[in-house]
Amino acid sequence: MKPATVAKKLGIYLPATPQEFQESTITREEFAELQANPPEWLAELRRNGPHPRPVVAQKLNISISGLARGGVEDALTTAEITALLQAPPQWLVTERATHAAVRAEAQRVKEEAAKKAAKKARAQAN
């Protein structure tokens, strides 16, 4: 696998990885070993960052689009994410509320679809 693919699957920021990782091809066995027994550099990246945008968005509980609307273009460290959570700027408060509303609506739609499917199944059974 390409280093970018492995980094994405591991949830790490590729430019922050060691040079030999960035220049190598990783087999599926090596990937499994990285997951099972992460080396110190991998554990450190996961713990302190910098983190890629999907991980930053997840930790802030917003969407990746919300990061862009908030002006966050770069990877952030755990300390930077913690600082944002402790003293959230207005854009973060707004994006978290928007993200929560979108998740609630998606859940409502999913439940509605399940009710319709159950109703249809009962009708077909009769």
Tab-separated table of all heavy atoms in Angstrom, residues 40-61:
chain	number	residue	atom	x	y	z
A	40	GLU	N	6.951	3.622	18.568
A	40	GLU	CA	6.848	4.812	19.414
A	40	GLU	C	6.447	6.048	18.618
A	40	GLU	O	5.634	6.842	19.069
A	40	GLU	CB	8.168	5.060	20.159
A	40	GLU	CG	8.115	6.240	21.116
A	40	GLU	CD	6.992	6.152	22.154
A	40	GLU	OE1	6.704	5.055	22.639
A	40	GLU	OE2	6.406	7.200	22.471
A	41	TRP	N	7.000	6.220	17.414
A	41	TRP	CA	6.666	7.408	16.626
A	41	TRP	C	5.180	7.431	16.271
A	41	TRP	O	4.552	8.488	16.267
A	41	TRP	CB	7.539	7.522	15.367
A	41	TRP	CG	7.360	6.422	14.359
A	41	TRP	CD1	8.115	5.291	14.230
A	41	TRP	CD2	6.356	6.338	13.337
A	41	TRP	NE1	7.642	4.505	13.199
A	41	TRP	CE2	6.576	5.128	12.626
A	41	TRP	CE3	5.311	7.158	12.942
A	41	TRP	CZ2	5.775	4.729	11.558
A	41	TRP	CZ3	4.508	6.762	11.871
A	41	TRP	CH2	4.744	5.554	11.193
A	42	LEU	N	4.594	6.264	16.006
A	42	LEU	CA	3.167	6.185	15.679
A	42	LEU	C	2.313	6.476	16.909
A	42	LEU	O	1.344	7.240	16.833
A	42	LEU	CB	2.825	4.819	15.090
A	42	LEU	CG	1.362	4.562	14.730
A	42	LEU	CD1	0.820	5.628	13.793
A	42	LEU	CD2	1.211	3.182	14.108
A	43	ALA	N	2.694	5.906	18.031
A	43	ALA	CA	1.954	6.162	19.271
A	43	ALA	C	2.018	7.642	19.629
A	43	ALA	O	1.017	8.239	20.049
A	43	ALA	CB	2.525	5.316	20.405
A	44	GLU	N	3.182	8.247	19.435
A	44	GLU	CA	3.354	9.681	19.728
A	44	GLU	C	2.493	10.536	18.795
A	44	GLU	O	1.850	11.498	19.234
A	44	GLU	CB	4.832	10.053	19.592
A	44	GLU	CG	5.142	11.493	19.894
A	44	GLU	CD	4.923	11.856	21.358
A	44	GLU	OE1	4.944	10.966	22.227
A	44	GLU	OE2	4.714	13.058	21.615
A	45	LEU	N	2.459	10.202	17.513
A	45	LEU	CA	1.622	10.948	16.561
A	45	LEU	C	0.144	10.838	16.925
A	45	LEU	O	-0.593	11.825	16.858
A	45	LEU	CB	1.823	10.421	15.139
A	45	LEU	CG	2.911	11.068	14.316
A	45	LEU	CD1	3.008	10.397	12.948
A	45	LEU	CD2	2.674	12.545	14.151
A	46	ARG	N	-0.289	9.647	17.278
A	46	ARG	CA	-1.691	9.469	17.655
A	46	ARG	C	-2.029	10.223	18.935
A	46	ARG	O	-3.126	10.741	19.084
A	46	ARG	CB	-2.005	7.984	17.836
A	46	ARG	CG	-2.090	7.236	16.542
A	46	ARG	CD	-2.368	5.784	16.804
A	46	ARG	NE	-2.770	5.087	15.592
A	46	ARG	CZ	-2.852	3.783	15.501
A	46	ARG	NH1	-2.587	3.017	16.540
A	46	ARG	NH2	-3.223	3.215	14.378
A	47	ARG	N	-1.086	10.281	19.842
A	47	ARG	CA	-1.314	10.922	21.132
A	47	ARG	C	-1.277	12.451	21.030
A	47	ARG	O	-2.158	13.129	21.534
A	47	ARG	CB	-0.272	10.409	22.127
A	47	ARG	CG	-0.465	10.791	23.546
A	47	ARG	CD	0.481	10.099	24.535
A	47	ARG	NE	1.815	9.769	24.043
A	47	ARG	CZ	2.232	8.557	23.673
A	47	ARG	NH1	1.402	7.532	23.727
A	47	ARG	NH2	3.460	8.343	23.246
A	48	ASN	N	-0.252	12.997	20.370
A	48	ASN	CA	-0.026	14.442	20.396
A	48	ASN	C	-0.171	15.148	19.054
A	48	ASN	O	-0.166	16.368	19.011
A	48	ASN	CB	1.372	14.739	20.963
A	48	ASN	CG	1.490	14.277	22.390
A	48	ASN	OD1	0.575	14.440	23.178
A	48	ASN	ND2	2.616	13.666	22.715
A	49	GLY	N	-0.276	14.405	17.971
A	49	GLY	CA	-0.440	15.023	16.667
A	49	GLY	C	0.889	15.455	16.080
A	49	GLY	O	1.930	15.082	16.582
A	50	PRO	N	0.824	16.206	15.014
A	50	PRO	CA	-0.353	16.836	14.436
A	50	PRO	C	-1.311	15.796	13.845
A	50	PRO	O	-0.893	14.768	13.360
A	50	PRO	CB	0.218	17.746	13.352
A	50	PRO	CG	1.559	17.187	13.028
A	50	PRO	CD	2.050	16.502	14.255
A	51	HIS	N	-2.588	16.141	13.921
A	51	HIS	CA	-3.650	15.247	13.467
A	51	HIS	C	-4.180	15.719	12.110
A	51	HIS	O	-4.301	16.916	11.872
A	51	HIS	CB	-4.801	15.226	14.467
A	51	HIS	CG	-4.375	14.829	15.849
A	51	HIS	ND1	-4.021	13.542	16.174
A	51	HIS	CD2	-4.243	15.556	16.984
A	51	HIS	CE1	-3.691	13.485	17.450
A	51	HIS	NE2	-3.818	14.697	17.967
A	52	PRO	N	-4.561	14.781	11.217
A	52	PRO	CA	-5.164	15.165	9.934
A	52	PRO	C	-6.565	15.748	10.154
A	52	PRO	O	-7.182	15.559	11.199
A	52	PRO	CB	-5.212	13.850	9.158
A	52	PRO	CG	-5.203	12.786	10.195
A	52	PRO	CD	-4.435	13.341	11.364
A	53	ARG	N	-7.052	16.429	9.159
A	53	ARG	CA	-8.334	17.137	9.256
A	53	ARG	C	-9.499	16.248	9.707
A	53	ARG	O	-10.283	16.675	10.552
A	53	ARG	CB	-8.653	17.830	7.934
A	53	ARG	CG	-7.678	18.972	7.655
A	53	ARG	CD	-7.792	19.524	6.238
A	53	ARG	NE	-9.124	19.838	5.837
A	53	ARG	CZ	-9.741	20.997	6.071
A	53	ARG	NH1	-9.126	21.950	6.705
A	53	ARG	NH2	-10.967	21.203	5.664
A	54	PRO	N	-9.653	15.012	9.198
A	54	PRO	CA	-10.776	14.190	9.691
A	54	PRO	C	-10.703	13.921	11.187
A	54	PRO	O	-11.724	13.918	11.876
A	54	PRO	CB	-10.653	12.894	8.887
A	54	PRO	CG	-9.915	13.280	7.649
A	54	PRO	CD	-8.961	14.363	8.070
A	55	VAL	N	-9.510	13.718	11.705
A	55	VAL	CA	-9.347	13.470	13.140
A	55	VAL	C	-9.626	14.741	13.931
A	55	VAL	O	-10.295	14.703	14.972
A	55	VAL	CB	-7.930	12.911	13.440
A	55	VAL	CG1	-7.693	12.786	14.933
A	55	VAL	CG2	-7.730	11.572	12.746
A	56	VAL	N	-9.148	15.882	13.417
A	56	VAL	CA	-9.407	17.162	14.085
A	56	VAL	C	-10.911	17.415	14.138
A	56	VAL	O	-11.456	17.779	15.193
A	56	VAL	CB	-8.686	18.326	13.364
A	56	VAL	CG1	-9.104	19.676	13.940
A	56	VAL	CG2	-7.174	18.160	13.458
A	57	ALA	N	-11.591	17.195	13.021
A	57	ALA	CA	-13.043	17.409	12.981
A	57	ALA	C	-13.750	16.506	13.981
A	57	ALA	O	-14.646	16.945	14.705
A	57	ALA	CB	-13.568	17.162	11.567
A	58	GLN	N	-13.340	15.248	14.048
A	58	GLN	CA	-13.955	14.306	14.984
A	58	GLN	C	-13.730	14.750	16.421
A	58	GLN	O	-14.654	14.731	17.237
A	58	GLN	CB	-13.381	12.910	14.769
A	58	GLN	CG	-13.923	11.895	15.746
A	58	GLN	CD	-13.170	10.582	15.689
A	58	GLN	OE1	-12.062	10.513	15.168
A	58	GLN	NE2	-13.772	9.558	16.242
A	59	LYS	N	-12.511	15.152	16.745
A	59	LYS	CA	-12.201	15.568	18.119
A	59	LYS	C	-12.962	16.840	18.506
A	59	LYS	O	-13.318	17.017	19.669
A	59	LYS	CB	-10.702	15.766	18.297
A	59	LYS	CG	-9.913	14.474	18.314
A	59	LYS	CD	-8.425	14.739	18.460
A	59	LYS	CE	-7.633	13.461	18.468
A	59	LYS	NZ	-7.524	12.859	19.774
A	60	LEU	N	-13.200	17.718	17.533
A	60	LEU	CA	-13.952	18.950	17.805
A	60	LEU	C	-15.461	18.735	17.704
A	60	LEU	O	-16.237	19.626	18.019
A	60	LEU	CB	-13.521	20.063	16.847
A	60	LEU	CG	-12.098	20.596	17.020
A	60	LEU	CD1	-11.778	21.600	15.917
A	60	LEU	CD2	-11.917	21.226	18.390
A	61	ASN	N	-15.864	17.550	17.228
A	61	ASN	CA	-17.271	17.206	17.067
A	61	ASN	C	-17.962	18.117	16.049
A	61	ASN	O	-19.067	18.608	16.280
A	61	ASN	CB	-17.993	17.225	18.415
A	61	ASN	CG	-19.233	16.360	18.397
A	61	ASN	OD1	-19.378	15.496	17.533
A	61	ASN	ND2	-20.132	16.594	19.327
